[in-house]
Amino acid sequence: MLIVVFASVYLFIPSRLIIREAGSAQCSFAAAKRFIFEERNHSAWKSTGSSDSLQPEDDKWNYRVTNTFYTKTDIIIACGDESHKTVIQLIPYNVDSTGIIWSDTVYTGNNPFSRINEYIRARRLKQHMATNAERLLTFLNDKEKIYSSNIVKEQLKDIPLIARLVLLNS
């Protein structure tokens, strides 16, 4: 019986768990970068959402931005004694839209007990990342919060102009 339990742990929990959240935001690449890559701006989007989506345990998670490049940054997420080095990549789609991929890889090891423990930790991280990715996308899709004014896309009616050139010789 014990062999079946151990075999099922190795069969159903892989040695490498990939956690990934992705989405797109209707804001410029520079605006998304400003609110994700700069730690002082995290409080703006972490508190976004309905009051029932804000959990008391969210205050326990700490974020630290490290290793920033042009389209990628590492964010170390820590809660208590556990720490995860996650990666956020920004993909500029157009002038006013940006793709966001937030990912982490958790290695579970060879010990069946540590595999189960790491799987539970990875599920908790996945849930936390999903909640905060949703908050981030909600925030970034609100143009009034991003740009401090409401921006409305309008198209002007084009009216042709006819001009006539007259040259007078004196």
Side-chain angles (χ1 to χ4, degrees), residues 48-165:
T48 300
S50 60
S51 60
D52 58 339
S53 71
L54 298 174
Q55 302 294 328
E57 59 268 3
D58 288 343
D59 294 335
K60 297 177 186 174
W61 295 83
N62 296 315
Y63 287 54
R64 193 171 44 124
V65 176
T66 62
N67 206 13
T68 298
F69 294 103
Y70 182 66
T71 62
K72 169 200 128 4
T73 189
D74 295 341
I75 295 183
I76 297 175
I77 302 175
C79 179
D81 63 340
E82 63 183 274
S83 177
H84 303 276
K85 183 179 178 185
T86 63
V87 176
I88 292 186
Q89 293 177 306
L90 299 180
I91 304 164
Y93 290 146
N94 205 344
V95 175
D96 63 345
S97 23
T98 305
I100 300 168
I101 301 172
W102 193 357
S103 61
D104 186 27
T105 302
V106 177
Y107 296 96
T108 57
N110 291 327
N111 183 337
F113 299 110
S114 69
R115 244 184 214 214
I116 293 170
N117 187 36
E118 290 300 318
Y119 177 76
I120 292 168
R121 288 176 60 192
R123 281 187 56 196
R124 189 168 51 241
L125 177 65
K126 167 78 172 162
Q127 182 179 14
H128 178 74
M129 283 174 59
T131 302
N132 280 305
E134 182 181 337
R135 288 178 187 158
L136 176 63
L137 290 173
T138 301
F139 179 82
L140 292 176
N141 284 320
D142 188 351
K143 291 183 182 359
E144 198 165 327
K145 289 182 180 176
I146 293 289
Y147 302 115
S148 299
S149 64
N150 194 13
I151 298 174
V152 179
K153 196 173 195 177
E154 291 286 333
Q155 187 170 1
L156 299 174
K157 184 177 177 184
D158 191 18
I159 301 172
L161 175 67
I162 298 176
R164 187 173 150 183
L165 178 64

